[in-house]
Amino acid sequence: MAFDLGAHLVRLGILSSTSDHTSVVSINLFVALLCTCIIIGHLLEENRWMNESITALVIGLCTGVVILLTTKGKSSHILVFSEDLFFIYLLPPIIFNAGFQVKKKQFFRNFMTIILFGAVGTLISFSIISLGAVEFFRRMDIGSLDIGDFLAIGAIFSATDSVCTLQVLNQDETPLLYSLVFGEGVVNDATSVVLFNAIQNFDVGHIDAIIVLKFVGNFFYLFFSSTFLGAFTGLLSAYIIKKLYFGRHSTDREVALMMLMAYLSYMLAELLDLSGILTVFFCGIVMSHYTWHNVTESSRVTTKHAFATLSFISEIFLFLYVGMDALDIEKWKFVSDSPGKSIGVSSILLGLVLVGRAAFVFPLSFLSNLTKKSPDEKISFKKQITIWWAGLMRGAVSIALAYNQFTRSGHTQLRGNAMMITSTITVVLFSTVVFGMMTKPLIRVLLPPGAKHYGSMSSEPSTPKSLLAALLPNGQESEVEAGGQIERPSSLRMLLSKPTHTVHYYWRKFDDSFMRPVFGGRGFVPFVPGSPTEQSHHGLE
Amino acid sequence: MAFDLGAHLVRLGILSSTSDHTSVVSINLFVALLCTCIIIGHLLEENRWMNESITALVIGLCTGVVILLTTKGKSSHILVFSEDLFFIYLLPPIIFNAGFQVKKKQFFRNFMTIILFGAVGTLISFSIISLGAVEFFRRMDIGSLDIGDFLAIGAIFSATDSVCTLQVLNQDETPLLYSLVFGEGVVNDATSVVLFNAIQNFDVGHIDAIIVLKFVGNFFYLFFSSTFLGAFTGLLSAYIIKKLYFGRHSTDREVALMMLMAYLSYMLAELLDLSGILTVFFCGIVMSHYTWHNVTESSRVTTKHAFATLSFISEIFLFLYVGMDALDIEKWKFVSDSPGKSIGVSSILLGLVLVGRAAFVFPLSFLSNLTKKSPDEKISFKKQITIWWAGLMRGAVSIALAYNQFTRSGHTQLRGNAMMITSTITVVLFSTVVFGMMTKPLIRVLLPPGAKHYGSMSSEPSTPKSLLAALLPNGQESEVEAGGQIERPSSLRMLLSKPTHTVHYYWRKFDDSFMRPVFGGRGFVPFVPGSPTEQSHHGLE
């Protein structure tokens, strides 16, 4: 039923104001460009500088130029960034897939460091960028920005782009770095939500102890409730699929249920004003630990690749979109009066991003190293540089935040706001393309692939003995000492590293004796008849 | 990054007028309902009356009631049917998957019958329903309807719901019926497009030979160009994946490319005012014949199940949506004045649908039987009844058409238009629930599963000898006769059935010697190292 959709739908357009001929054209354009990006990305696979996201960004920019030229400089609907599209449709599959495919052992081993980087680090970065912005921008004549705007600038530019990290770092080659930088990006989100709510709701003129306390409380509430919601949804899906024995009837139902429940967790979090990113990330982790083992063999292959594919398409789409959006003529009108000032603002922001990140990566890495026993587990200086560098990219999250803050009703026409929007786009483009292109070579130089640059990956939980060693008073250690070559931990190290190992040990015990029997998981799945690995000739004639 | 999406996005809302808090709420509601439908559908699997679509429809209706009661009768945005959503997002995956999983041999064997049913049958049904509507409705006082409206009613109610057919008929149990009824539904689409364009563009007052000729020409143009576009896109994807050897780098890229190119074919058809349904259906057939064999093992499993899952979710969503939409209060306002008349109109329409379908299924089946040699291949009377019955359901396509015709700007408030909209909804609900529920038991009674009720499925192409037998003049038959027990075909049978077999034979030859070497396909795929069947413990820890 084709009809002239365009003409008719405008008349109907009750829910669907986007549904004119333009939307059919733009969908065609986007899908065709996505195909192009995939093919070019494939051809450039061996290239050491490029990656898929930079390709998409460049193609998006080129398309933007072409559209600008063909429409003779008039702004087109295709070019406008939609926060909605980003947060409701593109982000969830990307983050869910990251949680689904993350190496859980590596992630939880570095959990404390990740939290440290994501929460404390983001706060440090936020403060430095905000203070720097106040310091520099007050002297320049760039229009009216109040204290709230400066704080918002701090939040916007301390939001690491976790999507870009996924593209630049390789989980298999550099697992420690990957889990640190990506994990930081996820936790970063909760921090940013709190920061933004704080900036928009609290009276930022009067910061006292109670507000700070509220702030901290808010962060913990957000972090724990988001995590809980994600874990709960994941466990619910595992329980339903295990209990109702879905594979018996249809493998498609299992896959559909996993997809829908993951998405539901994200949307529920959005509804409850929690951090959807945190929620869907933990939902992904729980689903890969339990649900995934409860489904049939073909569902496992399907979910693994289908989630990765959806995430892949969303990522490419996102970068394409950011690239095309960057050339929306409206935004650049104000800037064209004073190009020098605009370049100045962007450069200052880039500098602040560099300094702000350095200001927490190196000190916090030092702190984190104090807690590690073996030199293998410590974050070497070279690795610190890589962490600093790999987290420098700013992406769609920053753009969405900037739109949120600087395009309030009526305010769009203000010079200061227009300047901030274009500067954000400039920083995002520059950091993604330049920093992004240099990351792969940088990693190759700093951490040559031959060297063993990450901690040992032994899967054994720490023995109860080392736990005892940490808990027993000095006089009673003899028995434990006799047990093996246990290095005496320093007191600080003991304090910080032992609880993690202990937690891990008890978690394993709890998982094996209670969680897996209830929710399924590896080794606890009933035999499903008729679910051997699919044959290639099966089903499709 | 949650923020208060709702509040902020309204301010931005350039592309996104749907993006307020309501949309987050309604997405949550829909996703939660989808999960519920899947679970309930699973529990009712063994039930002989219900199927997933009826469950979804009923749940949708119940939710509609709850929403009506909680909002105290005020219309809610959630309840409005969006043609856009239906044609751009829900329909393509369903039809593509149907083409992708269709039994190609069965489909092409019955190709002529399918075309006969889909084109001629739809025209017969259209004429009867239009004439009947003119006859009955002119006598009733139901507001101003012109000749164009009556013709539109004919088109609306002769559109078989192919989605519902997929749910009710089982491809494995009744392959002949499935391919006939579903194939008819797909071809039906091209006919409906032409009908609609004709009604809306031609001067329907003056129908002469030239207009009829134009009409027929239009149909053939639409049919062939849509098919060509679909086949072309499918072949292009096969060629790209084979040539660039995608599996080497990433299995996700293959899956993504297949998905995107299939969708691109549909959207291109929409853009060019062709029949997107026909295009994407043939794209699915070509992709399963060529592209699917060119990808890695895990991509095959993934695509097969991922496409089925997407289609499954879209179907459930669709029925849920139709169910919820049915209770939109606006539409029922006019009807409440004269409930008796409304019931009368709906009953007449239902009756016309029954008669209109009977008027072409039985005569055309008779015609089709004349062309078949063996009694096995003929459509028995019991099967004719099943075909008649299984195609009675009207679905979302009819609703979309009705909206298209009867809600033009300003005309929504007319009594006749409101009446037609509500009658369409009534017919759709009644036919889907009542006819749908009775189809499964009917098939069980008419065609008991033990009996061999469909034609032999031998995969051998007819030998060149039988071709010769058909082409050679009588005197020269001796050689062929000696070759085997070839029954002398009657001249009509020969005329109609032989070309199909010949075409099939030449097609196989052409396929093996030219198409497969170029585009890949079973047996013509180079060995891809490292693509064994996935292990369940691989990749996900």
Side-chain angles (χ1 to χ4, degrees):
Chain A
M1 304 282 149
F3 327 110
D4 188 4
L5 260 181
H8 294 300
L9 287 170
V10 174
R11 291 179 215 150
L12 304 179
I14 307 162
L15 246 182
S16 50
S17 68
T18 58
S19 57
D20 41 64
H21 198 67
T22 321
S23 85
V24 174
V25 174
S26 62
I27 289 175
N28 267 302
L29 181 66
F30 265 113
V31 177
L33 285 176
L34 282 173
C35 292
T36 316
C37 286
I38 291 174
I39 293 169
I40 292 179
H42 171 77
L43 295 174
L44 290 176
E45 178 86 21
E46 319 279 87
N47 189 298
R48 58 181 293 182
W49 301 92
M50 299 296 279
N51 61 49
E52 216 114 26
S53 55
I54 298 177
T55 313
L57 207 54
V58 171
I59 290 178
L61 274 172
C62 296
T63 316
V65 171
V66 171
I67 292 176
L68 268 188
L69 292 178
T70 49
T71 60
K72 299 209 175 65
K74 273 176 219 152
S75 162
S76 157
H77 265 306
I78 297 174
L79 296 169
V80 179
F81 187 83
S82 156
E83 225 181 313
D84 195 25
L85 178 72
F86 174 63
F87 281 114
I88 294 189
Y89 302 110
L90 296 179
L91 204 51
I94 299 175
I95 305 294
F96 173 75
N97 183 57
F100 198 73
Q101 319 265 4
V102 83
K103 292 200 190 309
K104 290 185 284 294
K105 217 160 277 161
Q106 192 66 238
F107 181 80
F108 284 109
R109 176 163 295 176
N110 299 301
F111 198 65
M112 292 315 286
T113 314
I114 287 169
I115 298 282
L116 204 65
F117 274 47
V120 181
T122 306
L123 275 177
I124 294 175
S125 170
F126 160 74
S127 318
I128 288 177
I129 294 173
S130 295
L131 287 175
V134 172
E135 190 67 20
F136 286 109
F137 294 167
R138 283 239 164 120
R139 283 189 220 155
M140 297 167 77
D141 170 38
I142 55 157
S144 61
L145 295 173
D146 59 21
I147 181 77
D149 288 333
F150 286 118
L151 291 176
I153 290 171
I156 290 166
F157 290 102
S158 57
T160 308
D161 186 21
S162 33
V163 180
C164 210
T165 313
L166 293 172
Q167 287 270 326
V168 175
L169 291 178
N170 188 313
Q171 181 164 222
D172 296 318
E173 284 169 17
T174 51
L176 174 65
L177 292 180
Y178 178 91
S179 65
L180 279 181
V181 178
F182 178 71
E184 179 210 322
V186 171
V187 177
N188 184 304
D189 173 58
T191 320
S192 304
V193 176
V194 182
L195 279 172
F196 238 81
N197 283 344
I199 292 162
Q200 302 194 319
N201 298 330
F202 294 110
D203 181 5
V204 281
H206 304 84
I207 295 170
D208 57 17
I210 292 168
I211 286 182
V212 172
L213 231 84
K214 240 182 178 170
F215 191 90
V216 172
N218 214 335
F219 172 77
F220 278 104
Y221 159 73
L222 213 75
F223 184 84
F224 284 110
S225 48
S226 301
T227 309
F228 174 79
L229 181 63
F232 176 79
T233 323
L235 287 177
L236 187 68
S237 76
Y239 187 76
I240 290 174
I241 287 177
K242 181 163 181 272
K243 210 70 197 167
L244 296 184
Y245 201 21
F246 264 81
R248 189 179 32 163
H249 285 140
S250 150
T251 184
D252 303 331
R253 253 189 218 126
E254 295 178 329
V255 180
L257 203 66
M258 279 177 81
M259 271 186 184
L260 290 171
M261 290 199 71
Y263 190 59
L264 188 63
S265 78
Y266 182 87
M267 290 312 291
L268 273 177
E270 293 287 300
L271 190 68
L272 303 171
D273 281 328
L274 301 175
S275 162
I277 291 184
L278 258 178
T279 305
V280 81
F281 179 76
F282 278 100
C283 183
I285 288 182
V286 171
M287 277 198 177
S288 77
H289 191 64
Y290 297 107
T291 321
W292 194 70
H293 293 280
N294 297 352
V295 298
T296 57
E297 176 62 35
S298 48
S299 293
R300 279 179 222 172
V301 179
T302 305
T303 46
K304 198 182 126 198
H305 291 289
F307 292 153
T309 304
L310 288 180
S311 160
F312 176 73
I313 294 177
S314 301
E315 279 171 37
I316 305 287
F317 188 91
L318 190 56
F319 285 101
L320 201 56
Y321 196 47
V322 169
M324 282 174 80
D325 172 63
L327 283 167
D328 186 20
I329 203 77
E330 285 287 323
K331 302 180 209 103
W332 297 95
K333 248 189 279 177
F334 287 89
V335 182
S336 54
D337 305 334
S338 48
K341 200 171 280 176
S342 174
I343 294 171
V345 170
S346 305
S347 314
I348 289 169
L349 286 170
L350 263 175
L352 287 173
V353 166
L354 284 162
V355 173
R357 190 163 176 83
F360 78 84
V361 167
F362 299 107
L364 294 181
S365 298
F366 177 75
L367 264 182
S368 166
N369 280 344
L370 288 181
T371 70
K372 304 285 170 158
K373 275 183 303 189
S374 68
D376 254 9
E377 282 185 357
K378 287 188 201 260
I379 307 171
S380 70
F381 185 67
K382 282 179 175 177
K383 274 187 242 169
Q384 294 179 22
I385 293 182
T386 317
I387 293 174
W388 170 66
W389 189 264
L392 282 178
M393 282 157 286
R394 298 295 172 266
V397 174
S398 296
I399 290 186
L401 284 174
Y403 269 89
N404 194 307
Q405 177 71 17
F406 294 111
T407 56
R408 306 225 185 131
S409 49
H411 285 228
T412 341
Q413 304 302 316
L414 289 178
R415 212 157 62 88
N417 288 354
M419 185 77 88
M420 288 324 300
I421 297 267
T422 52
S423 302
T424 310
I425 292 172
T426 312
V427 170
V428 167
L429 288 184
F430 186 85
S431 66
T432 306
V433 174
V434 177
F435 295 169
M437 273 173 113
M438 286 170 70
T439 309
K440 266 191 194 175
L442 188 85
I443 291 174
R444 214 164 298 180
V445 169
L446 288 180
L447 313 163
K452 192 187 172 227
H453 51 262
Y454 46 85
S456 66
M457 303 261 299
S458 80
S459 62
E460 291 303 304
S462 60
T463 61
K465 280 187 184 167
S466 54
L467 161 68
L468 279 173
L471 294 177
L472 291 173
N474 281 343
Q476 292 168 286
E477 273 183 16
S478 55
E479 199 191 341
V480 175
E481 291 266 281
Q485 285 76 33
I486 297 175
E487 194 200 347
R488 276 272 196 90
S490 79
S491 54
L492 176 64
R493 217 189 273 153
M494 198 174 89
L495 202 73
L496 280 158
S497 74
K498 283 302 155 195
T500 323
H501 285 170
T502 317
V503 166
H504 186 231
Y505 167 73
Y506 278 113
W507 162 248
R508 284 292 290 259
K509 239 181 138 172
F510 177 66
D511 195 28
D512 285 342
S513 62
F514 176 72
M515 296 295 276
R516 289 191 196 212
V518 175
F519 297 108
R522 187 156 43 171
F524 282 84
V525 183
F527 173 70
V528 179
S531 77
T533 307
E534 292 270 333
Q535 297 299 305
S536 66
H537 57 267
H538 178 73
L540 280 171
E541 175 216 17
Chain B
M1 305 279 151
F3 325 109
D4 186 5
L5 261 181
H8 294 300
L9 286 170
V10 174
R11 291 180 216 148
L12 304 180
I14 306 160
L15 246 182
S16 50
S17 67
T18 59
S19 56
D20 43 65
H21 198 66
T22 322
S23 85
V24 173
V25 174
S26 62
I27 290 176
N28 267 301
L29 180 67
F30 265 112
V31 178
L33 285 176
L34 282 174
C35 291
T36 316
C37 287
I38 292 174
I39 293 169
I40 293 179
H42 171 76
L43 295 175
L44 291 176
E45 178 84 22
E46 319 280 87
N47 190 298
R48 59 181 292 183
W49 300 93
M50 300 296 279
N51 61 48
E52 215 113 29
S53 55
I54 299 177
T55 314
L57 207 55
V58 172
I59 291 178
L61 274 173
C62 297
T63 316
V65 171
V66 171
I67 292 177
L68 268 188
L69 291 179
T70 48
T71 59
K72 299 206 176 65
K74 272 176 218 149
S75 161
S76 157
H77 264 305
I78 296 173
L79 296 168
V80 179
F81 187 83
S82 156
E83 222 181 315
D84 194 27
L85 179 71
F86 173 65
F87 281 115
I88 293 188
Y89 303 111
L90 296 179
L91 204 52
I94 299 175
I95 305 296
F96 173 75
N97 184 56
F100 197 72
Q101 319 265 3
V102 83
K103 293 201 191 305
K104 290 183 286 293
K105 217 161 277 161
Q106 192 65 239
F107 182 80
F108 284 110
R109 175 162 297 177
N110 299 301
F111 197 66
M112 292 315 286
T113 315
I114 287 168
I115 297 282
L116 204 66
F117 275 45
V120 182
T122 306
L123 275 176
I124 295 174
S125 169
F126 160 75
S127 318
I128 290 177
I129 295 173
S130 296
L131 288 174
V134 172
E135 191 66 21
F136 287 109
F137 294 167
R138 282 241 165 118
R139 285 188 218 152
M140 298 166 77
D141 170 37
I142 57 157
S144 61
L145 293 173
D146 59 21
I147 179 78
D149 288 333
F150 287 117
L151 292 176
I153 290 171
I156 290 167
F157 290 100
S158 56
T160 310
D161 187 21
S162 32
V163 180
C164 212
T165 315
L166 293 173
Q167 287 268 328
V168 174
L169 291 178
N170 188 315
Q171 182 165 221
D172 297 318
E173 284 169 17
T174 52
L176 175 65
L177 292 179
Y178 178 92
S179 65
L180 279 182
V181 179
F182 178 72
E184 179 209 325
V186 171
V187 177
N188 185 304
D189 172 58
T191 320
S192 303
V193 175
V194 182
L195 280 173
F196 238 80
N197 283 342
I199 292 161
Q200 301 195 318
N201 298 328
F202 294 111
D203 181 5
V204 284
H206 305 85
I207 295 172
D208 57 17
I210 292 169
I211 286 181
V212 171
L213 231 85
K214 241 183 180 172
F215 192 88
V216 172
N218 216 335
F219 173 78
F220 279 105
Y221 160 73
L222 213 74
F223 185 84
F224 285 110
S225 48
S226 300
T227 309
F228 175 80
L229 181 63
F232 176 79
T233 324
L235 286 176
L236 187 67
S237 76
Y239 187 76
I240 290 174
I241 287 177
K242 179 160 182 277
K243 210 70 196 167
L244 296 184
Y245 200 20
F246 265 80
R248 187 179 34 164
H249 286 138
S250 151
T251 185
D252 304 331
R253 249 187 222 126
E254 296 177 330
V255 180
L257 203 66
M258 279 176 82
M259 273 188 182
L260 289 171
M261 289 198 71
Y263 191 58
L264 187 63
S265 78
Y266 182 87
M267 290 313 292
L268 272 177
E270 292 287 298
L271 189 68
L272 302 171
D273 282 328
L274 302 175
S275 162
I277 292 183
L278 257 178
T279 304
V280 82
F281 180 76
F282 278 99
C283 183
I285 288 182
V286 171
M287 276 198 177
S288 78
H289 192 64
Y290 298 107
T291 320
W292 194 71
H293 293 279
N294 297 351
V295 298
T296 56
E297 176 61 38
S298 47
S299 292
R300 280 179 222 173
V301 179
T302 305
T303 46
K304 198 182 127 199
H305 292 289
F307 292 153
T309 305
L310 288 180
S311 161
F312 176 71
I313 294 178
S314 301
E315 279 171 36
I316 304 286
F317 188 92
L318 190 56
F319 285 102
L320 200 57
Y321 195 49
V322 169
M324 284 175 80
D325 172 63
L327 282 167
D328 185 22
I329 203 78
E330 283 287 323
K331 303 180 209 99
W332 297 96
K333 250 188 282 178
F334 288 90
V335 182
S336 54
D337 306 336
S338 48
K341 198 170 283 177
S342 174
I343 292 169
V345 170
S346 304
S347 313
I348 290 169
L349 285 172
L350 262 175
L352 287 173
V353 166
L354 285 162
V355 173
R357 191 165 175 83
F360 79 84
V361 167
F362 299 107
L364 294 182
S365 297
F366 176 76
L367 262 183
S368 168
N369 281 343
L370 289 180
T371 71
K372 305 283 170 166
K373 276 183 300 190
S374 68
D376 254 9
E377 283 184 357
K378 288 188 200 256
I379 308 171
S380 70
F381 186 66
K382 283 180 176 178
K383 274 186 244 169
Q384 293 178 23
I385 294 182
T386 317
I387 291 174
W388 170 66
W389 189 264
L392 282 177
M393 282 158 287
R394 298 294 174 265
V397 174
S398 297
I399 290 186
L401 284 174
Y403 269 88
N404 194 306
Q405 177 72 18
F406 294 110
T407 55
R408 305 221 186 135
S409 47
H411 286 229
T412 341
Q413 304 303 317
L414 289 177
R415 211 159 61 90
N417 288 354
M419 186 76 87
M420 289 323 301
I421 296 269
T422 53
S423 303
T424 310
I425 291 171
T426 312
V427 170
V428 167
L429 288 184
F430 186 84
S431 66
T432 306
V433 174
V434 177
F435 295 168
M437 272 172 114
M438 287 170 68
T439 308
K440 266 191 194 176
L442 187 85
I443 291 175
R444 214 163 299 180
V445 169
L446 288 179
L447 312 163
K452 190 187 173 229
H453 50 261
Y454 44 88
S456 66
M457 302 260 298
S458 79
S459 62
E460 291 302 304
S462 61
T463 60
K465 279 188 182 165
S466 54
L467 162 68
L468 278 172
L471 294 178
L472 290 174
N474 282 343
Q476 294 169 285
E477 272 181 18
S478 57
E479 200 190 342
V480 175
E481 291 265 282
Q485 285 75 34
I486 296 175
E487 191 200 350
R488 277 272 196 95
S490 80
S491 55
L492 177 62
R493 214 188 280 154
M494 196 175 89
L495 201 71
L496 280 158
S497 74
K498 283 301 157 199
T500 324
H501 285 172
T502 316
V503 165
H504 187 231
Y505 168 73
Y506 278 114
W507 163 248
R508 283 294 288 259
K509 238 183 140 174
F510 177 66
D511 195 27
D512 285 341
S513 61
F514 176 72
M515 296 297 275
R516 290 191 197 213
V518 175
F519 297 107
R522 186 155 44 171
F524 283 84
V525 183
F527 174 69
V528 179
S531 76
T533 308
E534 293 271 333
Q535 298 300 305
S536 65
H537 57 268
H538 179 74
L540 279 171
E541 173 217 18

